[in-house]
């Protein structure tokens, strides 16, 4: 009985670790160059990892939020953030995912990830963020 309990506990810990890994992969941000909405080559692996998880979890839906640094007008940055979110969605759809599994939103410069008036802060703020909005209760690792 003790061995069975130990095995069940180990399985529970393994499953919890898998769920955390899947959630971290889904939540991983992508970053953009200044005044650009194209997916950078160094960000594609982050998005490709999400594709495998989305394929293994057909009920998952995501909100993609586009963000900008604080340079430029509110209107310009809201539009740029929306283009960034749409660019991420297009990339994921080009990898075989259905567009209906995503919603996009722009926060422009309103929700900075980093404070500061320098490239280090600005580069952290030019990003796409991901939030599970449906189907996240029983996530599975891709097999």
């Amino acid at each position: 009985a003790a061995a069975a309990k130990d095995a069940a506990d180990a399985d529970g810990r393994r499953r919890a670790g898998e769920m955390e890994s899947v959630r971290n992969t889904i939540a991983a941000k992508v970053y953009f160059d200044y005044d650009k909405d194209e997916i950078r080559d160094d960000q594609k692996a982050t998005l490709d990892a999400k594709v495998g998880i989305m394929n293994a979890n057909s009920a998952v839906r995501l909100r993609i939020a586009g963000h900008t640094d604080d340079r430029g007008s509110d209107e310009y940055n809201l539009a740029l953030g929306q283009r960034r979110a749409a660019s991420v969605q297009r990339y994921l759809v080009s990898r075989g995912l259905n567009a209906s599994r995503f919603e996009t939103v722009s926060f422009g410069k309103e929700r900075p990830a980093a404070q500061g008036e320098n490239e280090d802060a600005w580069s952290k703020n030019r990003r796409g963020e991901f939030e599970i909005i449906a189907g996240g209760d029983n996530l599975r690792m891709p097999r």
Side-chain angles (χ1 to χ4, degrees), residues 21-29 49-51 53-54 60 62 129-132 139:
S21 175
V22 167
R23 288 190 183 284
N24 288 342
T25 300
I26 288 291
K29 299 171 180 77
K50 295 176 195 312
V51 173
I53 290 170
M54 299 282 294
V60 169
L62 295 181
E129 291 185 331
F130 304 84
E131 177 186 358
I132 297 172
L139 297 172

Side-chain angles (χ1 to χ4, degrees), residues 83-139:
R83 289 194 312 272
R84 287 176 174 167
S87 179
V88 169
Q89 180 183 13
R90 278 191 308 276
Y91 182 89
L92 294 170
V93 168
S94 78
R95 297 304 188 265
L97 298 175
N98 192 307
S100 68
R101 296 181 68 188
F102 305 100
E103 69 178 46
T104 59
V105 64
S106 174
F107 292 108
K109 60 185 177 182
E110 298 307 313
R111 296 184 180 182
Q115 298 295 323
E117 294 294 319
N118 56 59
E119 185 54 33
D120 183 56
W122 292 325
S123 67
K124 290 177 179 131
N125 292 329
R126 299 187 303 257
R127 69 197 188 281
E129 291 185 331
F130 304 84
E131 177 186 358
I132 297 172
I133 55 174
D137 296 335
N138 233 349
L139 297 172

